[in-house]
Amino acid sequence: MARGVSVIAIDGPVAAGKTAVGRELARNLGFAYLDTGIMYRAITWLALHSGIPVEDETALGELARTNPVDVVGDEGNRVSVAGHSLGPELRDSSVDSNVSVVSKAPAVRKALVAQQRQTAAEGKIVMIGRDIGTVVLPDADLKVYLTASPENRARRRWQEMRDLGQSVELETVLSETLARDETDSNRDDSPLKPAKDAWKLNTDGLNIEQVVRKIVARAKDR
Ligand code: DC
């Protein structure tokens, strides 16, 4: 492992494999791992739970500013926020269908990005999201932009939802995936796009181990 690689940013659209790859990569390197999507999900859950309309940017910003999101658990897939301990509920379809709108709000992004940068300050971290290489950690040592075809991404997401016991049509997941891509890519603040210096990696036909191996090899090269 090159001594220089300490901060790794992984971005990409819905269900490109970021979560599984990021977690395994961090384990492999002995690095910390932060899935920033879970933080946007936590604020979305809290807004829905508190009856805050997801169009009310001012209230959402205040909510995010006053309720830091603590990502907890060995897998980094639980949070503690405003006294709530949340896990699978962060993947509920109500959160899925509102999180893109909540994460458009600049004040929400500002609050969460500050927390994310603080987490990365110690280095040795794999951070995943949509704007990690472009906005949160523009000086990351290695930036990876994961992609996959919409059909493969929807199928992965559909399988995840089935594993969580949710019954949903593949077609519905595909159209929601495309809708979220659209919102994430076209928002004014920190849209989803590869950083200029990101390494683009298409994961179609590759399993998690294969993708991780490619990224580790790339990191060693640097
Ligand atoms: O990765 P995910 O599906 O859990 O992310 C949920 C939403 O959060 C996604 O629709 C876009 C938003 N998000 C974001 O805007 N910026 C990030 N760094 C991570 C996620």
Side-chain angles (χ1 to χ4, degrees), residues 4-111:
V5 173
S6 172
V7 175
I8 301 179
I10 302 185
D11 292 298
V14 178
K18 302 183 300 295
T19 308
V21 166
R23 193 178 284 147
E24 192 48 40
L25 178 67
R27 201 174 284 147
N28 189 300
L29 298 174
F31 281 17
Y33 162 75
L34 178 65
D35 169 9
T36 58
I38 207 172
M39 300 173 78
Y40 290 94
R41 287 175 180 275
I43 295 302
T44 304
W45 183 91
L46 195 57
L48 296 173
H49 178 78
S50 320
I52 293 176
V54 294
E55 299 76 28
D56 187 342
E57 291 198 8
T58 310
L60 288 175
E62 187 61 11
L63 191 73
R65 205 179 54 74
T66 52
N67 293 287
V69 181
D70 245 343
V71 180
V72 293
D74 289 345
E75 301 280 301
N77 58 2
R78 294 194 63 84
V79 304
S80 168
V81 65
H84 302 280
S85 170
L86 307 171
E89 46 280 84
L90 297 172
R91 311 258 157 211
D92 280 353
S93 56
S94 58
V95 174
D96 261 359
S97 48
N98 286 291
V99 65
S100 273
V101 176
V102 171
S103 56
K104 273 198 312 192
V108 170
R109 306 202 67 81
K110 190 172 169 211

Side-chain angles (χ1 to χ4, degrees), residues 159-177:
Q159 190 60 53
E160 273 172 23
M161 293 169 94
R162 281 170 54 110
D163 291 347
L164 288 172
Q166 301 173 13
S167 85
V168 55
E169 296 289 323
L170 179 58
E171 277 304 302
T172 312
V173 180
L174 178 58
S175 61
E176 282 177 8
T177 300

Side-chain angles (χ1 to χ4, degrees), residues 144-159:
V144 183
Y145 190 86
L146 288 186
T147 58
S149 71
E151 291 72 22
N152 281 340
R153 293 190 287 114
R155 186 168 289 280
R156 280 182 199 157
R157 184 76 190 102
W158 175 72
Q159 190 60 53

